[in-house]
Amino acid sequence: FNPIATGGGMVLIVAILVGGYYFRNRLNKPLFIAGWVFFLLPLAPSLFYKPVFTGFAYDYLDHRMLFPYIGLFMVCYSLSNVYLPYFKHKYWLPGVMVFSAVLALYYSGNYQNRLAYYENATRTTPRSGLAILNYARVLVMEKKYDESLVQFNKLVEMFPDSMNFRLRRAALFIETKQYSRMLNECQSIIAKDPKYADAYFYMGGYYNDIGKRDSSYQIILRAIQADSTNAMYYFNLGTLYRQDNNRGNALRNFSKALTLNPKLTNAYAERGNLYGEMGLFRESADDYEMYVKLNPADPNGYFYRGQAYCLSGNAEKGCPDLRKADSLGLTIARDKLGAFCK
């Protein structure tokens, strides 16, 4: 936040307001008012978020500059038609504004020093939960876990009733392999809100990883009881059943997951593989048909769909898929090409 730039911006806004008042009877008022609405629109999140984040400056500056650019363009254009009537062509001002807006958006979209930006945001708006949350997330991405934990602790202190911040801290404990702290965090979340399903979900994944399969089943089932609309819970339950070779229950849970979320690509892959293991190659090909539509860059989709087609007796469809998988770098497809596509 450069003081000179900030001061210059304030002078410009005051000049625009003075010009608007002086020429108020000659202005295109709908355009002028709409411009100010757009200009102030980024403040709306600070007014409507639950819990309310008090960081007005941060909400205004972070990610939403498109609206102020549009608003300022509309305001200045409405004024230019009034106080620059002696110019034969008045399009130079909008042109300059559009060019500067595009340039500024380009630089904001390619901003590299995000850590310093978010740190500065927390200093200028120290009570902004959104600023602290984004700073903590960036610290995690930079693998600065200790510093990130400090920020998550701040969030929990500021918003003790927010289970979301506690759950994010639990996710950090998983990332840093502090599993006992993760379990304690999730248990404290459940004690405050027994219906907070994600806490069960985290615990279930951990129990599965350490081989406590029965505990994992129980926890995932409790997550489903708390929230029966989350496709990922059914997907993970299906994965557990598949690991235990319980194909019927695995199939039912993968299908339930896809009913809740038809774009869950991993569920198509897991169910497609399961159909293949059961000798239901046409059903497997259908699932991988959906997988390829949703994830066309993954060579595995073409490989498994091609293999399923070939095993169902349709090498005419299967061989092009295997060639596609090979062209995308999946070398194991060549063995299948040699077997099915001579």
Side-chain angles (χ1 to χ4, degrees), residues 321-340:
D321 273 349
L322 294 173
R323 293 189 186 97
K324 177 74 172 179
D326 183 34
S327 70
L328 290 173
L330 194 66
T331 55
I332 59 172
R334 294 178 190 174
D335 295 335
K336 300 297 180 183
L337 280 167
F340 295 120

Side-chain angles (χ1 to χ4, degrees), residues 55-201:
F56 286 95
Y58 177 73
D59 282 337
Y60 191 80
L61 290 169
D62 181 45
H63 305 312
R64 286 174 274 273
M65 289 307 292
L66 179 63
F67 294 106
Y69 290 143
I70 293 173
L72 200 60
F73 165 76
M74 294 167 73
V75 168
C76 289
Y77 188 69
S78 64
L79 285 171
S80 71
N81 284 321
V82 174
Y83 61 77
L84 296 177
Y86 47 86
F87 279 84
K88 185 176 181 181
H89 299 291
K90 298 187 287 290
Y91 300 110
W92 62 273
L93 179 60
V96 169
M97 290 195 64
V98 169
F99 175 78
S100 62
V102 170
L103 193 64
L105 281 171
Y106 170 79
Y107 281 116
S108 67
N110 291 274
Y111 191 67
Q112 299 298 319
N113 197 12
R114 59 185 179 181
L115 198 60
Y117 171 76
Y118 285 119
E119 182 183 12
N120 199 13
T122 61
R123 289 179 178 176
T124 54
T125 55
R127 295 294 300 171
S128 170
L130 186 60
I132 296 171
L133 174 60
N134 280 328
Y135 183 38
R137 289 170 59 191
V138 171
L139 285 168
V140 171
M141 287 188 276
E142 298 287 340
K143 300 188 183 306
K144 297 185 176 183
Y145 299 121
D146 291 341
E147 295 174 53
S148 178
L149 180 58
V150 170
Q151 302 305 315
F152 280 120
N153 289 341
K154 282 183 186 178
L155 286 170
V156 172
E157 289 174 12
M158 290 169 59
F159 305 99
D161 296 326
S162 173
M163 298 301 103
N164 180 43
F165 294 147
R166 291 179 180 272
L167 192 71
R168 288 176 181 271
R169 187 166 66 178
L172 176 63
F173 291 143
I174 294 174
E175 181 79 16
T176 54
K177 296 180 171 49
Q178 300 181 65
Y179 298 116
S180 61
R181 298 184 74 179
M182 179 275 293
L183 289 173
N184 290 335
E185 188 77 78
C186 289
Q187 287 164 354
S188 71
I189 292 170
I190 292 167
K192 287 178 174 288
D193 184 357
K195 293 186 176 180
Y196 209 86
D198 282 347
Y200 298 109
F201 184 63

